[in-house]
Amino acid sequence: MYRLLNCVVWLHLAISSIFGYDRRGVSIVTVIVGDNPVYGYFIQSPDYDVALARALRTFPTTLSQVKRLSVYKPGTYSCPEAAALMPILAMEVDQLIRDNPRDFTVLITPGCSLEVIALGDFAREWDVPLMAVIAIDLSLTDTQRFPTVLTFPSSDQSSLVRATLALFERYSWSTVSLLCGDVNPSGADNTLFYATTCSGFINALEQSSQIDALNVFHFDARTADNEGYENMLKTVGMQSRVVLLLVPTARRLRDIMVTADTLNMTKGDYIFIAPRSPAVFVEGALQWRFNVTSDDQAFAAFQSLITVSNPLPQWKMITALMDEIRSQSQLVYNRTLTMEDSVNGLTVSAVEVMSSVTEVLSQFSSRQLKAMTGTDFRKHFLNRTFELESRSFFIGPKGMRVCDVDLYKMNVTNGEMEVVWEYKLISDTLRQTSRQNVIWRSRNGPPLNRPVCGFRGDRCIGSLEKSVVTTVAPILTVLVSFIFGAGIFWFFHQRTKGSVWWLLEEMRLISAVTHSNLGTFQSVQRS
Ligand SMILES: *[C@@H]1O[C@H](CO)[C@@H](O)[C@H](O)[C@H]1NC(C)=O
Ligand SMILES: *[C@@H]1O[C@H](CO)[C@@H](O)[C@H](O)[C@H]1NC(C)=O
Ligand SMILES: *[C@@H]1O[C@H](CO)[C@@H](O)[C@H](O)[C@H]1NC(C)=O
Ligand SMILES: *[C@@H]1O[C@H](CO)[C@@H](O)[C@H](O)[C@H]1NC(C)=O
Ligand SMILES: *[C@@H]1O[C@H](CO)[C@@H](O)[C@H](O)[C@H]1NC(C)=O
């Protein structure tokens, strides 16, 4: 009956050669709803295939009983629609579990949080481990309801907020402007990530006692041009020295930095802080080198930039893996993945989930596996660091990947953005990674939260007035007393000689002026 439903079950990579009586096989089942170009079936499946094939090459003996199955529902669905379809896919999974009664089953899904919540309830009833690749909802760490669920999100906006606040605290920055490219967000261009991150940042900064003043500017990243950036930056420059940039795509971020340079905002008085998404699929990698003619300006501008992101995959280390994924996609799924398609944080996450599952599986003997429950299996991931080729990561005590944060600054020697601080989420600490001092654009060190003369330079006019007062007062005093004295002198002179007051002796006048000059000099020295 379930077979009548519009689900497709793919079976491949079935490596179930040696079936002994007492040996227990393993079924790794991926459960995917829809063909989303970023985390749907066609982009994710080759990742699992390749990761499993690689694990089989590494542990040919211990993983010999593993087979890979897939439950998939074609189409395009929103997150709630996909979640509503989950019970139907769960019936397919149920059938697979019944069909393979001797197997230990592990489920992997790249579904959104709502999908995983729906499937997680089934997983509890089956006592089958469920690995969520991108779902991040904290309710999934409730072990009463989801005793078999583990979540592996590689990006988490609350950790970005906390790391940014830790940086503000380190440098006593409390007057902040936030530029959000979150008007008209769409799935394309990764603007959705920045729209949700913007609202997350606004909420957190408004509530933080660390922030004295927050100015928020919203703009449409797709239509804004350099002139728009210029007007925005001019206003920002009058209100704060610390500028947060939540700007989708690396190209636009670069444009804004170059515009800031044109406005003389990259000489070290200002600092620009840009939280980034690790799913660089549609964003492109952030580079100041872009066009030889304007490179110099971008090189200067990027020295005033700090980028903030959850640990990025080490793309240079995994070029062979990415090549393998592209050819698997072509061969098995008849889809051509471009270079850009595969520079995708979620592709890497999929590989990491399959790799860590196979790593844990490879450590069990078949006897241990026979007694294994889903709840027990989950426990083997807790408090554990996985050192993978793509990056290392830690699964926390609650069964969720702990998203630490790296903060990058440009190394002017080689022009690369390098990790300068690491933020550790669990201990809430910011640690400088490089043994050398952090190099700031200005020789005076990091930008001041508030410039000495105020954002418009008007505070110093106030102090100028003060020094004018202290300078002029003694002169006036001297003059007044001189005139008063002269008046008396004149009065008596008039009385005695009858001459006019302006016929005073030259000597007296000179001594009075000298005295007032001395007084002026001293008061300037003092103020
Ligand atoms: C930036 O500084 C340069 C040289 O100091 C000056 O010529 C230019 O007018 C300044 N530009 C702006 C927009 O202030
Ligand atoms: C490089 O920049 C110049 C001027 O800034 C522009 O005219 C040219 O089209 C750019 N080239 C590319 C390949 O973007
Ligand atoms: C592969 O896809 C192309 C179109 O994208 C199609 O023309 C071709 O028939 C497909 N090949 C196979 C073997 O399905
Ligand atoms: C994980 O570590 C935490 C804190 O160090 C500890 O309380 C917890 O019992 C550990 N959990 C497991 C399963 O090892
Ligand atoms: C910058 O890069 C150079 C060359 O790669 C390296 O020797 C130097 O230590 C780096 N500087 C900092 C501050 O990390």
Side-chain angles (χ1 to χ4, degrees):
M1 175 200 161
Y2 306 136
R3 300 286 156 176
L4 295 178
L5 298 162
N6 191 19
C7 291
V8 182
V9 180
W10 292 68
L11 295 118
H12 47 85
L13 272 172
I15 303 173
S16 43
S17 44
I18 333 153
F19 264 103
Y21 277 116
D22 57 345
R23 299 207 61 145
R24 194 175 183 193
V26 176
S27 299
I28 300 180
V29 185
T30 55
V31 184
I32 305 179
V33 181
D35 308 317
N36 184 294
V38 183
Y39 53 83
Y41 180 76
F42 289 100
I43 186 91
Q44 287 266 307
S45 296
D47 312 337
Y48 301 118
D49 294 352
V50 168
L52 180 56
R54 289 187 149 220
L56 291 169
R57 292 203 292 270
T58 314
F59 310 107
T61 318
T62 43
L63 294 183
S64 62
Q65 304 290 321
V66 173
K67 58 178 172 290
R68 157 132 161 68
L69 311 170
S70 175
V71 174
Y72 157 56
K73 171 92 175 134
T76 307
Y77 308 98
S78 68
C79 176
E81 286 167 351
L85 287 168
M86 241 341 149
I88 301 172
L89 274 80
M91 289 175 185
E92 290 290 335
V93 176
D94 190 59
Q95 192 60 46
L96 285 177
I97 294 171
R98 285 166 199 274
D99 290 349
N100 300 278
R102 302 181 59 85
D103 280 6
F104 178 70
T105 303
V106 179
L107 304 177
I108 300 179
T109 182
C112 66
S113 294
L114 286 175
E115 288 175 76
V116 177
I117 287 170
L119 190 58
D121 285 327
F122 289 95
R124 176 191 63 237
E125 298 307 315
W126 298 320
D127 196 13
V128 160
L130 168 60
M131 312 286 154
V133 179
I134 56 179
I136 194 159
D137 200 285
L138 286 177
S139 68
L140 292 165
T141 60
D142 172 1
T143 46
Q144 289 294 311
R145 183 172 169 190
F146 302 112
T148 65
V149 171
L150 287 158
T151 49
F152 294 75
S154 58
S155 170
D156 154 39
Q157 56 159 267
S158 73
S159 65
L160 298 181
V161 172
R162 288 173 61 179
T164 305
L165 281 170
L167 184 73
F168 288 174
E169 191 182 3
R170 165 78 53 100
Y171 294 104
S172 309
W173 291 330
S174 60
T175 302
V176 176
S177 291
L178 172 54
L179 270 55
C180 281
D182 62 347
V183 178
N184 295 322
S186 75
D189 238 9
N190 215 10
T191 42
L192 270 180
F193 172 88
Y194 290 95
T196 56
T197 307
C198 271
S199 50
F201 263 88
I202 294 170
N203 284 338
L205 297 186
E206 276 176 350
Q207 282 164 23
S208 169
S209 58
Q210 245 174 279
I211 302 296
D212 295 335
L214 175 70
N215 312 297
V216 184
F217 298 82
H218 299 274
F219 67 99
D220 186 336
R222 276 167 299 159
T223 56
D225 53 8
N226 286 0
E227 201 184 328
Y229 299 147
E230 197 172 315
N231 292 333
M232 207 159 47
L233 287 171
K234 274 181 184 161
T235 315
V236 164
M238 296 293 186
Q239 296 178 344
S240 64
R241 288 290 165 93
V242 180
V243 186
L244 271 172
L245 298 172
L246 283 163
V247 183
T249 85
R251 175 70 198 277
R252 292 192 191 96
L253 179 58
R254 186 183 181 280
D255 286 349
I256 290 187
M257 289 311 297
V258 169
T259 307
D261 188 71
T262 310
L263 294 173
N264 288 344
M265 289 172 79
T266 59
K267 302 274 189 284
D269 297 334
Y270 292 85
I271 189 75
F272 297 84
I273 301 167
R276 310 299 295 156
S277 146
V280 285
F281 170 56
V282 277
E283 287 187 56
L286 182 66
Q287 277 181 334
W288 58 268
R289 283 188 199 87
F290 177 69
N291 177 341
V292 185
T293 51
S294 51
D295 263 4
D296 288 349
Q297 207 183 2
F299 177 72
F302 269 52
Q303 294 172 45
S304 294
L305 179 67
I306 294 171
T307 61
V308 181
S309 58
N310 296 121
L312 299 171
Q314 303 182 55
W315 298 110
K316 284 178 191 153
M317 304 292 289
I318 53 173
T319 48
L321 173 75
M322 288 297 153
D323 288 344
E324 227 176 296
I325 288 172
R326 272 192 294 276
S327 60
Q328 175 77 0
S329 172
Q330 195 71 65
L331 260 160
V332 178
Y333 303 90
N334 192 24
R335 300 282 164 123
T336 308
L337 292 183
T338 62
M339 240 1 210
E340 287 76 37
D341 290 337
S342 49
V343 180
N344 174 344
L346 302 179
T347 293
V348 178
S349 289
V351 170
E352 286 167 347
V353 172
M354 181 61 91
S355 303
S356 53
V357 165
T358 49
E359 185 183 319
V360 171
L361 281 172
S362 73
Q363 287 161 357
F364 299 130
S365 67
S366 58
R367 207 161 55 86
Q368 284 171 311
L369 210 52
K370 236 176 141 181
M372 185 70 67
T373 66
T375 317
D376 285 344
F377 186 75
R378 176 182 175 278
K379 288 189 182 135
H380 287 92
F381 287 77
L382 304 184
N383 286 351
R384 180 162 173 170
T385 301
F386 292 89
E387 303 279 356
L388 302 180
E389 180 180 39
S390 50
R391 62 190 148 189
S392 66
F393 60 90
F394 178 72
I395 302 292
K398 291 183 170 175
M400 185 174 263
R401 180 192 319 220
V402 172
C403 293
D404 290 329
V405 182
D406 291 333
L407 295 97
Y408 292 74
K409 230 174 159 299
M410 188 203 254
N411 176 336
V412 283
T413 314
N414 58 16
E416 301 285 335
M417 295 299 281
E418 286 180 355
V419 178
V420 178
W421 303 274
E422 278 174 352
Y423 175 76
K424 295 286 175 201
L425 190 72
I426 288 185
S427 55
D428 186 23
T429 50
L430 186 72
R431 189 176 68 85
Q432 195 173 314
T433 57
S434 158
R435 255 184 248 143
Q436 280 147 297
N437 285 333
V438 181
I439 297 170
W440 299 95
R441 184 86 168 107
S442 158
R443 262 188 235 137
N444 302 327
L448 295 174
N449 183 46
R450 284 171 179 276
V452 178
C453 294
F455 294 110
R456 293 165 190 270
D458 47 3
R459 281 250 208 105
C460 288
I461 295 177
S463 59
L464 187 68
E465 278 163 355
K466 209 171 113 197
S467 74
V468 164
V469 167
T470 52
T471 309
V472 169
I475 303 180
L476 281 180
T477 316
V478 168
L479 269 181
V480 165
S481 49
F482 175 73
I483 291 169
F484 182 71
I488 292 171
F489 177 79
W490 175 73
F491 178 76
F492 285 106
H493 195 76
Q494 277 291 83
R495 279 184 117 189
T496 52
K497 278 190 176 174
S499 87
V500 288
W501 68 272
W502 54 87
L503 291 178
L504 287 169
E505 292 104 316
E506 223 173 310
M507 263 309 279
R508 280 193 173 219
L509 201 64
I510 288 167
S511 77
V513 169
T514 311
H515 177 79
S516 77
N517 269 349
L518 201 68
T520 306
F521 176 71
Q522 282 168 345
S523 79
V524 168
Q525 282 288 79
R526 257 184 275 118
S527 69

